[in-house]
Amino acid sequence: MNETKKVDETIQEVKQQVIEWRRYLHQNPELSYQEVKTSQFVYDTLQSFGHLELSRPTKTSVMARLVGGRPGKIIALRADLDALPIQEEINLPFASQNPGIMHACGHDGHTAMLLGVAKILTQLQDQLAGEVRFIFQHAEEMFPGGAKEMTGVGVLDGVDLVIGTHLWSPLEKGKVGVAYGPMMAASDTFWITVNGKGGHAGMPHQTIDSIVIAAQVVTNLQQIVSRTTDPLDSVVISVTQIIGGTAPNILPGSVELSGSVRNLDPSIRETIPGKIERIVKGITEAHEASYEFKYVYGYSPVINNHEVTAVIEETVREVFGEEALERLRPTMSAEDFSAFMEKAPGCFFFVGAGNEEKGITYPHHHARFTIDEEALEIGVKTFVHAALKFLA
Ligand code: NI
């Protein structure tokens, strides 16, 4: 029997199990850093496959090593385990049993797929030249993120390359999306307080009006995007909170602003906090107010390595045909997969999981989010065939 045929048969055997694992995980969602039962389920399931060296790098994560029959590269494949604080509003036969918690981003599918990949590759152990590390990461959804914690305890030491995927509902089932270079954005957060002087709404000259000053800060911040950034680069500055005031006839003493900054280029990223503070300082000084400013760097951008991405792209073409391949523009959402990419070159790709005919159109993090389960097989196949390519 030729090798591809054997692989395909093994995938067919595991396919239904992957769906069942995903449904079990969907019914039992757990929040970031609290993936106790989820990680135990993953550990026990992996143990049942045999052949794997298992460990618990952190309290709620799992790593499995599969050492092949011959020496070769070390590759890491990653899935994330956590769910979100959302009350599910979609009627599934395997609905969430944990009130207020829901797998609304597809991480249940990621975990199930990687379990499937592990099962298939253990059966092909003798053919592998090198090692596969299966990384089941906790806390993708909550900063500072599980990826950084896991690389901090060395899960990627010695690894030559790392691959991860996201089931993606904006992309139709049947498509696999790749991007060369920047794929997902850096995501940082800022807080600004404008301190003026409160007083009577009818006598503004006796106050320092923090509302008018804060409003100027909000509109001026967009100058950073529109006037100081190269139009061919991408920066987003979104002020997402304005807090101030108690009544229509009182000018408040201070106003608090906070927001999100996104970009795809580390050299641009480092210039943003300075630009924001300069605007805040200038405007508050001009109007005799003072300010407080805090900026926190979040997840780094996901930047795909050329060679690794080329292999993923070739795999998609060979396994599913040219029409399955979708060249993506980067998205300004973020992923802590980037923390793994700081340790090894890698590729993060999207597996289409939307299906308009089936009404699967809700966005990620929505109470009615779901995936087309037929996408799971596509993710499994891409991982397995790519791993075999790297470890041929
Ligand atoms: Ni996600």
Side-chain angles (χ1 to χ4, degrees):
M1 185 162 41
N2 81 39
E3 201 177 296
T4 322
K5 215 171 147 201
K6 188 181 168 199
V7 174
D8 286 343
E9 277 177 18
T10 323
I11 291 173
Q12 283 315 307
E13 284 164 28
V14 175
K15 192 175 127 179
Q16 194 53 37
Q17 246 179 337
V18 171
I19 292 176
E20 280 156 25
W21 289 327
R22 183 256 161 170
R23 292 182 175 186
Y24 169 81
L25 293 162
H26 193 87
Q27 273 183 307
N28 299 279
E30 292 177 301
L31 294 174
S32 312
Y33 298 99
Q34 300 170 32
E35 308 90 338
V36 176
K37 284 186 187 162
T38 306
S39 58
Q40 194 57 48
F41 172 78
V42 166
Y43 192 96
D44 294 342
T45 308
L46 290 167
Q47 200 162 43
S48 74
F49 304 157
H51 308 272
L52 295 164
E53 286 174 35
L54 298 181
S55 61
R56 308 287 306 240
T58 67
K59 225 167 67 188
T60 56
S61 64
V62 182
M63 178 164 81
R65 294 176 60 205
L66 178 66
V67 180
R70 288 164 289 145
K73 284 198 180 98
I74 305 179
I75 68 167
L77 310 178
R78 175 271 207 167
D80 39 11
L81 304 171
D82 53 335
L84 288 156
I86 295 176
Q87 179 59 44
E88 191 164 274
E89 283 175 19
I90 185 166
N91 260 333
L92 296 169
F94 46 93
S96 167
Q97 293 174 348
N98 298 340
I101 306 177
M102 174 190 178
H103 269 293
C105 196
H107 299 188
D108 48 347
H110 303 164
T111 302
M113 287 194 292
L114 197 58
L115 285 172
V117 175
K119 183 162 186 184
I120 292 158
L121 291 179
T122 52
Q123 294 175 30
L124 304 168
Q125 187 178 21
D126 298 340
Q127 295 173 35
L128 302 176
E131 177 188 322
V132 187
R133 276 186 210 167
F134 301 95
I135 292 174
F136 293 88
Q137 179 211 313
H138 61 300
E140 191 283 321
E141 299 284 6
M142 194 185 281
F143 184 74
K148 199 125 216 168
E149 231 179 342
M150 290 191 82
T151 57
V153 294
V155 299
L156 247 53
D157 289 0
V159 165
D160 293 292
L161 60 101
V162 57
I163 308 170
T165 191
H166 211 298
L167 291 159
W168 205 241
S169 73
L171 192 63
E172 274 290 291
K173 191 265 303 173
K175 299 274 186 194
V176 179
V178 297
Y180 284 85
M183 172 79 172
M184 297 178 87
S187 167
D188 305 329
T189 308
F190 63 84
W191 292 264
I192 297 163
T193 306
V194 174
N195 292 313
K197 201 171 104 191
H200 199 289
M203 287 170 270
H205 58 291
Q206 292 173 353
T207 74
I208 295 171
D209 185 352
S210 56
I211 293 228
V212 168
I213 298 166
Q216 290 178 53
V217 169
V218 172
T219 51
N220 264 269
L221 289 181
Q222 295 311 319
Q223 299 270 113
I224 297 172
V225 177
S226 68
R227 301 292 89 182
T228 77
T229 303
D230 183 327
L232 297 178
D233 289 322
S234 301
V235 173
V236 177
I237 299 178
S238 292
V239 175
T240 53
Q241 275 188 311
I242 304 180
I243 306 165
T246 52
N249 59 351
I250 302 168
L251 287 169
S254 68
V255 171
E256 289 168 31
L257 309 171
S258 67
S260 180
V261 175
R262 310 288 171 116
N263 45 70
L264 298 163
D265 181 338
S267 68
I268 293 174
R269 185 188 193 190
E270 63 190 31
T271 67
I272 304 292
K275 288 180 177 178
I276 293 180
E277 185 163 13
R278 209 156 49 234
I279 285 171
V280 177
K281 187 169 186 279
I283 291 174
T284 49
E285 250 174 38
H287 301 291
E288 294 178 90
S290 62
Y291 72 94
E292 290 151 49
F293 177 62
K294 189 174 139 192
Y295 194 95
V296 173
Y297 286 103
Y299 295 162
S300 297
V302 171
I303 299 174
N304 282 336
N305 170 273
H306 247 72
E307 287 77 46
V308 184
T309 306
V311 174
I312 297 294
E313 196 174 275
E314 194 183 289
T315 305
V316 174
R317 277 210 186 88
E318 284 174 14
V319 179
F320 308 108
E322 181 73 41
E323 63 285 355
L325 186 70
E326 189 90 3
R327 281 283 183 86
L328 295 176
R329 301 175 74 194
T331 143
M332 298 310 265
S333 58
E335 243 285 346
D336 80 339
F337 187 75
S338 52
F340 294 116
M341 290 176 143
E342 283 167 359
K343 300 288 173 187
C347 177
F348 194 71
F349 62 95
F350 285 168
V351 172
N355 191 329
E356 246 183 85
E357 271 172 37
K358 294 186 189 169
I360 301 173
T361 53
Y362 284 95
H364 290 254
H365 295 205
H366 191 284
R368 290 179 190 272
F369 171 84
T370 190
I371 56 161
D372 186 338
E373 285 180 326
E374 285 178 41
L376 299 170
E377 184 186 352
I378 295 169
V380 170
K381 277 188 175 166
T382 309
F383 266 130
V384 168
H385 286 281
L388 292 172
K389 261 185 204 295
F390 284 116
L391 303 183

